[in-house]
Amino acid sequence: MTYASAKAAFADWGVDTDAAIDRLSGIPISMHCWQGDDVVGFETRTGASGGGIQATGNHPGRARTPDELRADLDFAYGQIPGRHRLNLHAMYMDTDTTPDRDEIEFSHFAPWVDWARDSGIGLDFNPTFFAHAKADDNLTLSHPDRGIRDFWIEHGRRSREIAARMGAELRSACVNNIWVPDGFKDVPVDRMAARQRLETSLDTMLSETHDAGHMRDAVESKLFGIGVEACTVGSHEFYLGYAIRRGTLLCLDMGHFHPTENVADKLSAVALSLEEILLHVSRPMRWDSDHVILLNDDIQSMAQELVFSDLLERTRIGLDFFDATISRTAAWVLGTRNMQKALLRALLMPQAELKSAEAAMDNTARMILTEEHKDLPHGAVWAEFCARNDALTGRHLKAELDRYDASVAGRG
Ligand code: RNT
Ligand code: ZN
């Protein structure tokens, strides 16, 4: 199928494929650094990430240094059409010194900013509230011990400063996403006290004002984690209210709800009360397992809601998955491209016709349109988008992903 005939097939449905390709070219995806090394980071400590999150598998080739991670990222971005962002976690500092979390400063991340500037990549940031002795109780900002809370408040305060500086240097607002693992393994008796402590800590942490053109805060909710099955302090209701009251972004992670909940459905609901949304696009399997995203119905629904609810301008699309059983670079490339493919499919739908069928209560027409549309040659439009952006597809992509994976397999 040539692009010209695909273009004609979509035109038959009143859809302009060139316009869809142009639109897709302008949508940056914030790729997460932590898929590259199994959420380990570059601090001197060793051990598991903790906080109820876990990468499993031991595929060879894990990046062990910032230089290795940047090489892997350069390769991955080269296989992903368009210009994108990198979502960096504080524990990925690049420095010869050994600052504790409450001592981090911009200089510890300066090499990342230089690299991002040279590569034309925007940066987003996350304070790291896990994988640390002071988070071993799975309590940080809501810990009953004031000293521990203050330690994490200082970490979060410094993270915001670093994020603001990153945004200023790169002239692109850096989203600073706050996720804390805080919760209880067994049924707590004073949920209110824990939530009040979390709220007060967040308020203190966020009390300094930064230019919104440089940095924007986001808060990420969660239903449960391994080891915190009974109660998560920063639940969805907690952060939805917090984000509305304080004007932060709300981060919706697709793995942070009950497995049968439809996270795409939440977008239009929360968007009525929020200015901006952050997504952690992920694929939970039975729990918050953070599998690589596939082009499945969940991702497709998410993309369709972003397009049909006109939320692309006020949603930051970030990814959050980590799989160490397969090539880490292939995981990045396929997961990110799947998000783009889902967006492209949504952009190629006969949106106006579908909406007017629904408004006219013609549910038959709506179903005919959605189902017949599935047979259209989306793949040829995707191939054209890749070709215009010098990105490989199909067998050529596979060969390149395999080649790179083999080239890093010797890492110890
Ligand atoms: C954990 C959250 C969080 C982390 C990253 C590493 O459940 O999803 O976003 O995955 O901060
Ligand atoms: Zn997440």
Side-chain angles (χ1 to χ4, degrees):
M1 165 74 69
T2 62
Y3 176 63
S5 51
K7 187 175 155 78
F10 279 97
D12 227 24
W13 289 64
V15 173
D16 179 347
T17 52
D18 286 324
I21 287 175
D22 284 349
R23 188 84 201 275
L24 187 61
S25 302
I27 305 175
I29 311 285
S30 191
M31 208 166 79
H32 51 313
C33 71
W34 52 94
Q35 162 60 47
D37 79 329
D38 315 340
V39 209
V40 175
F42 304 126
E43 293 170 303
T44 41
R45 73 174 177 85
T46 51
S49 38
I53 59 175
Q54 199 181 2
T56 53
N58 57 358
H59 188 85
R62 189 181 78 78
R64 298 155 303 176
T65 64
D67 283 337
E68 286 183 350
L69 189 60
R70 281 189 286 266
D72 293 354
L73 284 163
D74 285 336
F75 168 75
Y77 286 117
Q79 313 312 314
I80 299 166
R83 285 217 170 277
H84 300 285
R85 304 177 65 82
L86 177 69
N87 195 6
L88 204 56
H89 236 288
M91 65 176 173
Y92 288 78
M93 58 183 68
D94 182 357
T95 169
D96 294 333
T97 61
T98 55
D100 202 349
R101 299 275 173 84
D102 64 341
E103 298 167 334
I104 55 168
E105 28 185 89
F106 179 78
S107 63
H108 305 135
F109 299 89
W112 282 108
V113 176
D114 294 339
W115 167 84
R117 192 184 296 108
D118 290 347
S119 319
I121 282 170
L123 287 181
D124 295 307
F125 198 65
N126 307 257
T128 310
F129 291 98
F130 52 88
H132 189 283
K134 288 197 166 70
D136 280 351
D137 296 326
N138 278 330
L139 291 169
T140 61
L141 292 177
S142 73
H143 202 292
D145 182 313
R146 182 179 182 143
I148 297 205
R149 291 200 304 279
D150 285 347
F151 173 86
W152 289 112
I153 289 169
E154 183 61 14
H155 174 61
R157 201 188 64 71
R158 284 168 178 258
S159 292
R160 294 179 76 235
E161 274 179 0
I162 293 164
R165 178 87 183 270
M166 284 176 168
E169 299 268 342
L170 298 173
R171 296 172 197 280
S172 168
C174 174
V175 173
N176 182 61
N177 179 50
I178 299 159
W179 173 71
V180 297
D182 295 39
F184 297 89
K185 182 179 176 74
D186 223 330
V187 186
V189 295
D190 204 349
R191 295 168 197 258
M192 181 60 102
R195 292 198 161 115
Q196 284 170 336
R197 285 192 296 265
L198 178 56
E199 179 179 59
T200 305
S201 294
L202 286 167
D203 283 349
T204 309
M205 214 171 91
L206 302 185
S207 59
E208 281 159 56
T209 308
H210 292 283
D211 187 331
H214 299 161
M215 192 278 290
R216 296 184 203 165
D217 300 291
V219 289
E220 180 178 2
S221 68
K222 190 162 178 171
L223 178 62
F224 85 100
I226 301 294
V228 292
E229 289 85 357
C231 168
T232 293
V233 184
S235 59
H236 179 55
E237 290 74 8
F238 176 90
Y239 278 127
L240 177 60
Y242 193 85
I244 294 169
R245 284 201 306 284
R246 303 287 190 256
T248 70
L249 279 74
L250 178 71
C251 174
L252 297 173
D253 182 309
M254 290 176 73
H256 289 192
F257 295 88
H258 189 279
T260 65
E261 270 185 272
N262 175 359
V263 184
D265 174 72
K266 298 177 190 302
L267 288 178
S268 52
V270 302
L272 293 174
S273 302
L274 295 167
E275 269 178 42
E276 282 186 294
I277 298 167
L278 171 64
L279 290 182
H280 272 189
V281 181
S282 190
R283 180 164 57 102
M285 200 182 287
R286 303 187 190 277
W287 70 292
D288 180 34
S289 61
D290 289 290
H291 280 66
V292 179
I293 63 175
L294 303 179
L295 185 56
N296 64 14
D297 286 351
D298 291 344
I299 304 303
Q300 195 54 70
S301 308
M302 192 57 110
Q304 195 180 317
E305 280 307 312
L306 289 171
V307 173
F308 280 41
S309 296
D310 197 17
L311 291 173
L312 284 169
E313 297 306 321
R314 49 195 188 108
T315 306
R316 299 288 200 113
I317 304 174
L319 309 179
D320 188 4
F321 52 77
F322 28 96
D323 186 344
T325 67
I326 59 173
S327 158
R328 294 172 185 79
T329 43
W332 261 329
V333 171
L334 297 176
T336 308
R337 286 167 61 116
N338 279 337
M339 185 68 227
Q340 293 182 290
K341 284 186 188 183
L343 287 165
L344 179 62
R345 283 179 174 245
L347 291 166
L348 289 172
M349 291 180 83
Q351 191 185 152
E353 199 179 352
L354 278 164
K355 284 182 174 171
S356 60
E358 183 168 288
M361 301 286 288
D362 190 348
N363 297 338
T364 309
R366 186 183 62 188
M367 190 183 288
I368 294 169
L369 290 169
T370 58
E371 299 320 290
E372 285 300 297
H373 187 265
K374 289 175 182 168
D375 298 327
L376 291 184
H378 300 90
V381 184
W382 170 255
E384 176 69 13
F385 173 64
C386 288
R388 289 185 193 179
N389 286 281
D390 295 318
L392 301 173
T393 54
R395 287 272 153 210
H396 301 291
L397 176 66
K398 180 175 188 305
E400 188 58 8
L401 292 175
D402 288 347
R403 183 196 62 74
Y404 190 81
D405 196 36
S407 80
V408 298
R411 288 175 182 168

